[in-house]
Amino acid sequence: MRLSNYFVPTLKETPNDAVVTSHILMLRSGMIRMIAAGIYSILPLGYRVIRKISEIIREEMNAIGGQEFHLPALNPKELWEETNRVQAFGDTLFHIKNREYVLAPTHEEIMTYHARNVLKSYKDMPQIWYQIQTKFRNEPRPRSGVIRGRQFLMKDSYTFDTTWENLDISYNLHDKAYRKIFDRCGLNYFVVGASSGAMGGTGSEEFMVKSDAGEDTVAYCNSCGYAANVEVAVSNLQAGKRDDSSKNIYEIHTPGVKSIDELCEFLKIDETACAKSRIYINDSRPVLILMLGNEEVNESKLEKLLGGSVRPGHPDELKEISGADAGSIGPVGFNGRIIADNRLKNLNNLFSGANKNDYHIGGIDLMRDVPQIEYADLRIVQSGEECVKCNSKLEVFSAIELGHIFKLGTKYSESMRAFFLDEKGEEHPIIMGSYGIGVERVMACFIEQHHDEKGIIWDKTLAPFKVHLVGLNMKNADVINTCESIYNELNENNIDVLFDDREAQAGFKFNDADLLGMPIQVIVGEKKLKSGMIELKIRKTGERTDVPLNELKKAIEKEIG
RNA sequence: CGGGGUGUAGCGCAGCCCGGUUAGCGCGCUUCGUUCGGGACGAAGAGGUCGAGAGUUCAAAUCUCUCCACCCCGACCA
């Protein structure tokens, strides 16, 4: 491809709207353009990458017996009503105005529709069906460029099995295929597995990439691979130690003291001697939550523990329930359910609110003074705490979800009546799995992980072109002729080459080449040409070598194998 | 949906507070010439409903109101 006539609108300056690195670089390198919030056109250069990623996915899916479908994005609403997901998706589902159709945000319904009409016997299974297509979700807030869009490419596959054991087989095939796909794409990823309870159920794994642009927060152990969403993550942090003797309870006048920090400052005590109180309303009943020191309540864990609806109490409710405003609430004399974080278990000589404004209580012994107390893990794991599996240090960071494999079970087959007959002629719902990969996210994550201040650094697998051929002075006949012959030779040998044949300054071309980031740059300049040499630059290392023209092809093939 | 911010040429921005000729600057674009190994130089040009609408005023990019779009934080996220 000749750059002089190729639609690659590169940008020297960073567009105002882009914040995330991958988004900035995709815009600057002319791979994408935004049409509206969360809606992007993928331009020719970007689409070459998308196609490479898709092809890797396709190969690995086919290798485990997957069959590729092309499904409608426009779906009859009635199909979605069968599974009650019109309601479940709510505003996230796009509705068509002039026809009873919806735009598919995923394809369980369509796939199950096909399955129920045909997969009638145990002999028809297993099946692995997949598609690589555009999905539509009316995200309340699209963000981070292509990472969270209202329209995006997704590889989705669905498996149909006769038993849970067979579902395990299909699931494990996907687990292996996904690892191969992300390995081949050159991504540094990790897996948040069901063993850490990420989804609160059995049989789900999320494939994640560490990134500040990520929307999930995970705790990760570098030495044993323990990984869990902070919503459920646990660490080895132990409960505090109980003093040998308990003091008696005493009231302290603490005018204006509202926070744990202020209390510690006022009483000259350590925050580990404090129990922080938060009141939550659980299905209209108040629950007092006690945390050690200044730790925040992990509301996800709390919701899971309590069930039903859970919300923090409003300021006026707090007064009514406890008799005090936030800052002076405590467990002693609190009339209602009290749950403390495990770190507070059986502690004594604690300070907490007195349920009377501007007063706190000291000398609290939870065993003696709060007999109805319950304990639970309600913490948010912090970086540096010990891993529960191997005692190494955990790291907490943001991550992007690249893929998700999930044992669906019979949810859709039952609601859509997809049943089969087993060997005994008995009817059962088909047992399903579903497995997704965000295709643009693979591209974005790769760029997040492979760039420098100049631009993208592709490796040969995903690079839109293997070689970026730069002719330095396109008015010099020798340079032109040499470039043309190199360009033709590479094309004839099926080595994808992008030829910068524009009449422009050397620096201009070098910077564009570094921005676009092809693995190899072949630079043809007058001076070196006089001694018969061509320059070869490796984008990743910046290393430059001079190669005689007749050895160029060999040198390139050596680099890109 | 709540909070914050932005909207002026293809891109990046100034001008707005304190209303007043023909709305500027850098990059990019066109033409000509010079230059040609890290975003060159000179000359001449093209390109604007100042996000939209309404209002105040002799006069609005500038003040007021309404709406829209986009970004960030939060809520949400099969």
Side-chain angles (χ1 to χ4, degrees):
Chain A
M1 189 59 71
R2 290 169 191 270
L3 201 42
S4 60
N5 198 33
Y6 192 35
F7 187 67
V8 185
T10 57
L11 262 22
K12 187 171 165 181
E13 287 171 288
T14 299
N16 173 16
D17 288 345
V19 175
V20 175
T21 305
S22 56
H23 187 200
I24 291 170
L25 288 175
M26 279 190 244
L27 286 169
R28 286 195 53 213
S29 61
M31 295 203 294
I32 61 167
R33 281 293 184 271
M34 187 176 84
I35 295 299
I39 304 176
Y40 291 85
S41 291
I42 299 174
L43 276 30
L45 192 74
Y47 197 54
R48 287 181 75 97
V49 178
I50 291 293
R51 290 185 54 155
K52 299 218 165 171
I53 296 167
S54 306
E55 202 45 44
I56 288 171
I57 293 173
R58 200 167 271 128
E59 284 171 19
E60 296 301 337
M61 291 310 299
N62 292 345
I64 62 169
Q67 304 164 63
E68 186 171 9
F69 280 57
H70 190 84
L71 300 173
L74 226 38
N75 291 186
K77 198 199 267 182
E78 0 171 58
L79 266 184
W80 286 77
E81 271 158 359
E82 288 187 34
T83 55
N84 199 30
R85 286 175 103 195
V86 172
Q87 198 202 350
F89 266 101
D91 195 46
T92 304
L93 186 66
F94 277 112
H95 292 253
I96 302 296
K97 271 190 179 161
N98 55 354
R99 187 83 61 175
E100 288 294 295
Y101 292 160
V102 296
L103 283 175
T106 172
H107 279 82
E108 278 85 2
E109 277 77 1
I110 297 289
M111 286 296 202
T112 308
Y113 170 85
H114 292 296
R116 76 173 166 194
N117 288 334
V118 182
L119 305 182
K120 304 303 258 181
S121 157
Y122 69 96
K123 294 174 191 164
D124 296 328
M125 281 170 272
Q127 291 287 331
I128 299 177
W129 296 351
Y130 76 97
Q131 53 156 177
I132 304 176
Q133 285 182 248
T134 304
K135 313 260 170 169
F136 300 85
R137 290 180 200 182
N138 186 23
E139 295 293 346
R141 179 149 96 86
R143 66 183 98 179
S144 305
V146 111
I147 289 170
R148 187 170 204 81
R150 292 213 165 105
Q151 152 167 6
F152 54 95
L153 268 175
M154 188 160 168
K155 189 289 299 186
D156 241 347
S157 51
Y158 304 90
T159 57
F160 302 90
D161 283 290
T162 53
T163 64
W164 288 91
E165 292 71 31
N166 290 343
L167 171 61
D168 288 343
I169 294 171
S170 297
Y171 179 90
N172 289 332
L173 283 172
H174 276 82
D175 179 82
K176 289 201 179 71
Y178 273 38
R179 290 168 196 266
K180 281 189 187 165
I181 289 166
F182 298 132
D183 283 341
R184 285 180 64 185
C185 288
L187 291 169
N188 183 224
Y189 64 95
F190 60 94
V191 182
V192 176
S195 55
S196 12
M199 289 293 290
T202 56
S204 125
E205 280 178 348
E206 288 173 279
F207 293 76
M208 316 275 292
V209 159
K210 180 180 176 180
S211 165
D212 289 339
E215 303 177 67
D216 295 288
T217 309
V218 295
Y220 181 66
C221 174
N222 221 325
S223 72
C224 76
Y226 169 84
N229 197 300
V230 284
E231 289 179 1
V232 297
V234 291
S235 76
N236 248 347
L237 204 60
Q238 298 300 311
K241 265 198 93 124
R242 185 181 165 85
D243 291 341
D244 291 339
S245 64
S246 292
K247 295 176 187 164
N248 289 327
I249 277 189
Y250 60 102
E251 201 174 77
I252 313 159
H253 185 48
T254 52
V257 172
K258 296 283 180 205
S259 68
I260 293 293
D261 285 343
E262 288 164 2
L263 184 66
C264 292
E265 173 65 21
F266 187 82
L267 296 175
K268 306 290 179 222
I269 54 174
D270 194 80
E271 67 175 30
T272 54
C274 302
K276 177 160 89 174
S277 305
R278 296 285 313 274
I279 290 178
Y280 283 85
I281 309 296
N282 176 28
D283 289 340
S284 79
R285 281 192 308 277
V287 182
L288 181 74
I289 305 302
L290 281 184
M291 300 300 295
L292 180 66
N294 223 351
E295 292 194 337
E296 293 300 323
V297 178
N298 188 325
E299 295 187 358
S300 305
K301 287 182 179 177
L302 185 64
E303 280 173 24
K304 209 168 144 192
L305 178 74
L306 294 176
S309 75
V310 178
R311 63 167 175 85
H314 303 307
D316 47 328
E317 287 175 321
L318 302 187
K319 183 82 182 251
E320 195 186 319
I321 293 162
S322 72
D325 291 318
S328 298
I329 297 170
V332 177
F334 182 83
N335 187 17
R337 191 171 178 190
I338 300 176
I339 307 173
D341 179 64
N342 284 335
R343 282 193 80 194
L344 281 165
K345 198 159 206 166
N346 300 334
L347 292 190
N348 59 352
N349 297 330
L350 290 168
F351 294 87
S352 197
N355 294 323
K356 188 162 87 176
N357 277 353
D358 292 332
Y359 285 90
H360 282 78
I361 290 179
I364 299 170
D365 180 342
L366 292 177
M367 294 176 81
R368 178 191 67 197
D369 304 322
V370 194
Q372 80 275 35
I373 197 165
E374 303 164 54
Y375 294 98
D377 171 33
L378 293 172
R379 294 187 64 249
I380 300 170
V381 167
Q382 309 284 333
S383 274
E385 292 174 10
E386 284 182 10
C387 174
V388 283
K389 279 188 176 172
C390 73
N391 299 332
S392 301
K393 297 275 190 226
L394 288 172
E395 199 188 340
V396 175
F397 51 73
S398 304
I400 297 170
E401 182 185 342
L402 270 181
H404 193 173
I405 61 178
F406 191 72
K407 292 180 188 174
L408 279 180
T410 58
K411 180 179 169 187
Y412 297 96
S413 50
E414 278 180 26
S415 58
M416 293 185 70
R417 304 198 54 77
F419 295 110
F420 69 97
L421 295 179
D422 68 12
E423 296 91 325
K424 297 173 197 151
E426 288 171 6
E427 194 177 60
H428 302 284
I430 296 173
I431 298 174
M432 295 174 58
S434 97
Y435 318 83
I437 293 177
V439 180
E440 290 103 330
R441 283 187 180 183
V442 171
M443 176 161 79
C445 287
F446 183 90
I447 294 170
E448 292 283 335
Q449 294 186 343
H450 304 273
H451 67 272
D452 60 16
E453 66 288 349
K454 288 286 201 177
I456 303 170
I457 304 174
W458 293 111
D459 69 29
K460 62 185 179 190
T461 316
L462 297 189
F465 295 90
K466 301 271 193 294
V467 174
H468 193 130
L469 172 62
V470 182
L472 284 189
N473 181 355
M474 292 308 290
K475 280 180 179 164
N476 178 297
D478 285 346
V479 172
I480 296 172
N481 292 336
T482 308
C483 282
E484 291 290 342
S485 79
I486 293 172
Y487 182 62
N488 290 333
E489 186 185 17
L490 293 179
N491 276 326
E492 280 160 16
N493 286 280
N494 291 317
I495 295 171
D496 289 335
V497 52
L498 181 63
F499 176 19
D500 189 347
D501 58 337
R502 298 173 299 179
E503 283 188 22
Q505 292 286 118
F508 180 89
K509 293 185 164 194
F510 287 144
N511 281 318
D512 257 5
D514 287 345
L515 175 62
L516 301 188
M518 306 316 157
I520 300 174
Q521 294 173 17
V522 172
I523 299 157
V524 180
E526 269 175 281
K527 274 184 216 155
K528 290 189 178 174
L529 201 52
K530 280 190 182 124
S531 50
M533 299 301 261
I534 308 294
E535 181 174 320
L536 201 142
K537 177 181 159 186
I538 309 302
R539 173 65 179 93
K540 191 173 184 174
T541 59
E543 175 198 355
R544 300 153 185 272
T545 44
D546 291 340
V547 184
L549 182 56
N550 59 3
E551 289 174 22
L552 183 64
K553 190 182 135 228
K554 207 167 69 188
I556 290 170
E557 281 171 342
K558 192 179 152 216
E559 278 303 325
I560 58 175

